[in-house]
Amino acid sequence: MTFLRYYLMLVLIAVSIIIGCGQEDKDGARSDTRDTLGTAAATDSIVFEMPGADSVTVFELLRQSHEVQFVQTAAGVFVKSIDSIENSATHFWIYSVDDTVAMVAADDYITSDSDIVRWHYRKMSP
């Protein structure tokens, strides 16, 4: 992949961060999200949830329990796939901590024991 493609993917992730996280169904599954206007903003196909740990980054937590393919960029780690589920033209991986999508790379976010980390395989908004 070229630098431009990584840059575009980071821009898409940033836009998704602004849009927000999903709503939880009664069975605990993550689903379609709504923006402040009540319109559909994003869809999560898969969500991996893990507890935070004092002084451990989100990226370290992910690598402890999942197979991860990634690229180190100037902005931080860019996750390409988790457990062989790869980013695509329509879906990408993004994480949230305590139901808030973070504004920093996963290797820069240090968790605490009280945090809940979720990795979302999210469909790009049209």
Side-chain angles (χ1 to χ4, degrees):
M1 285 192 187
T2 66
F3 175 76
L4 179 59
R5 189 165 180 182
Y6 286 121
Y7 178 76
L8 291 174
M9 186 60 78
L10 288 174
V11 169
L12 289 172
I13 290 171
V15 169
S16 295
I17 288 170
I18 293 168
I19 291 172
C21 293
Q23 302 295 318
E24 203 164 295
D25 291 338
K26 64 182 178 209
D27 64 356
R30 306 293 285 177
S31 64
D32 186 48
T33 61
R34 307 265 169 208
D35 64 18
T36 56
L37 300 175
T39 58
T43 302
D44 294 337
S45 301
I46 302 168
V47 177
F48 295 125
E49 184 175 300
M50 58 198 74
D54 279 337
S55 302
V56 178
T57 68
V58 169
F59 185 63
E60 290 171 316
L61 287 173
L62 178 65
R63 291 187 71 194
Q64 289 173 5
S65 57
H66 297 277
E67 179 184 325
V68 181
Q69 297 294 318
F70 65 96
V71 174
Q72 182 68 48
T73 70
V77 165
F78 176 74
V79 173
K80 293 173 41 178
S81 73
I82 300 175
D83 295 339
S84 300
I85 303 168
E86 297 182 358
N87 292 333
S88 70
T90 59
H91 288 78
F92 62 96
W93 286 105
I94 191 167
Y95 77 95
S96 65
V97 178
D98 298 330
D99 293 323
T100 301
V101 175
M103 300 295 279
V104 298
D107 60 329
D108 289 332
Y109 195 111
I110 299 172
T111 65
S112 66
D113 285 336
S114 62
D115 290 334
I116 300 296
V117 177
R118 291 184 180 93
W119 279 91
H120 310 262
Y121 190 60
R122 184 156 287 173
K123 184 175 182 178
M124 291 184 197
S125 299

